[in-house]
Amino acid sequence: MKPVRILFDQGTPAPLRRYLVNHEVKTTVEMGWSRLTNGQLLDAAEDTFDLLITTDQQLRQQQNLAGLKLAIVVLPTTSWPRLEPNHTTILSTIESITSGQYVELQL
């Protein structure tokens, strides 16, 4: 499987990164994008990343996602203790998601 270029939005728990060693992971802070609005972030990420992982439950309602190549995975919480037991589900979603797909995980 080819590595996925992943961007963690601000609420995405950093410890998830250790399960994604076969992928290229950056955070919005590392990219200098922490002050961008959601629309600006999507535009910037579209050029550099394959996938955005976010905890923003309202993203689909707030932004027009039509035509994006960027895949988006929405986690149900920012709480790593609640997400960690589901890391295999998160990883399989990341590895099976296709360009432009939007997935809200219910863990």
Side-chain angles (χ1 to χ4, degrees), residues 52-90:
L52 171 68
I53 301 180
T54 184
T55 57
D56 186 346
Q57 306 291 315
Q58 302 302 312
L59 187 64
R60 179 179 258 174
Q61 289 75 31
Q62 295 169 350
Q63 301 297 319
N64 179 3
L65 304 178
L68 279 183
K69 295 179 305 195
L70 184 69
I72 299 171
V73 171
V74 180
L75 301 176
T77 179
T78 60
S79 169
W80 181 240
R82 289 185 47 210
L83 290 172
E84 187 172 25
N86 300 291
H87 73 271
T88 54
T89 301
I90 297 168

Side-chain angles (χ1 to χ4, degrees), residues 83-98:
L83 290 172
E84 187 172 25
N86 300 291
H87 73 271
T88 54
T89 301
I90 297 168
L91 187 57
S92 67
T93 300
I94 289 167
E95 293 183 347
S96 65
I97 201 164
T98 58

Side-chain angles (χ1 to χ4, degrees), residues 4 6 8 10-12 16 26 42 44-46 51 64 71 74-75 88 91 104:
V4 178
I6 301 169
F8 279 15
Q10 288 188 5
T12 305
L16 175 58
K26 298 283 185 189
L42 291 172
E46 178 87 350
L51 170 66
N64 179 3
V74 180
L75 301 176
T88 54
L91 187 57
E104 286 187 27

